[in-house]
Amino acid sequence: MTWNERVRGEPTAADLAAIEAEWPLIDAELAVIDAEIRILSTGRPVPLDWRRLRRAERQMLAAWLRLIVARQPRAGIRGAAS
């Protein structure tokens, strides 16, 4: 399948699985953007706005970590010293 055919076609099962695996990260990144917009759009952000941003950033970092760990190959316990 050529690139042009792929672009015009429907997403494959693998494409959909990749999107689903990354969805928690996408959702967390959107929460960060929402918090940043709120801070930038208000004339005077309140402490709750800053807490919301920090919480969203923590959730985004946690989602990144979970995604990275999930993509790592699993190491077996063979060869462990007995």
Side-chain angles (χ1 to χ4, degrees), residues 7-80:
V7 169
R8 293 182 186 145
E10 295 292 321
T12 65
D15 293 336
L16 295 174
I19 292 168
E20 188 169 337
E22 291 182 15
W23 188 253
L25 176 60
I26 294 167
D27 193 37
E29 289 174 335
L30 289 172
V32 170
I33 292 170
D34 287 342
E36 290 173 340
I37 289 170
R38 182 168 175 99
I39 287 171
L40 292 173
S41 65
T42 60
R44 301 176 72 175
V46 296
L48 178 61
D49 295 326
W50 295 108
R51 275 187 296 205
R52 186 176 290 127
L53 177 61
R54 287 191 307 269
R55 182 178 60 233
E57 289 172 337
R58 281 192 308 272
Q59 290 172 343
M60 183 182 65
L61 291 173
W64 263 113
L65 182 59
R66 285 190 300 273
L67 187 61
I68 290 168
V69 168
R71 290 183 176 176
Q72 295 299 313
R74 304 283 186 230
I77 58 171
R78 275 195 270 174

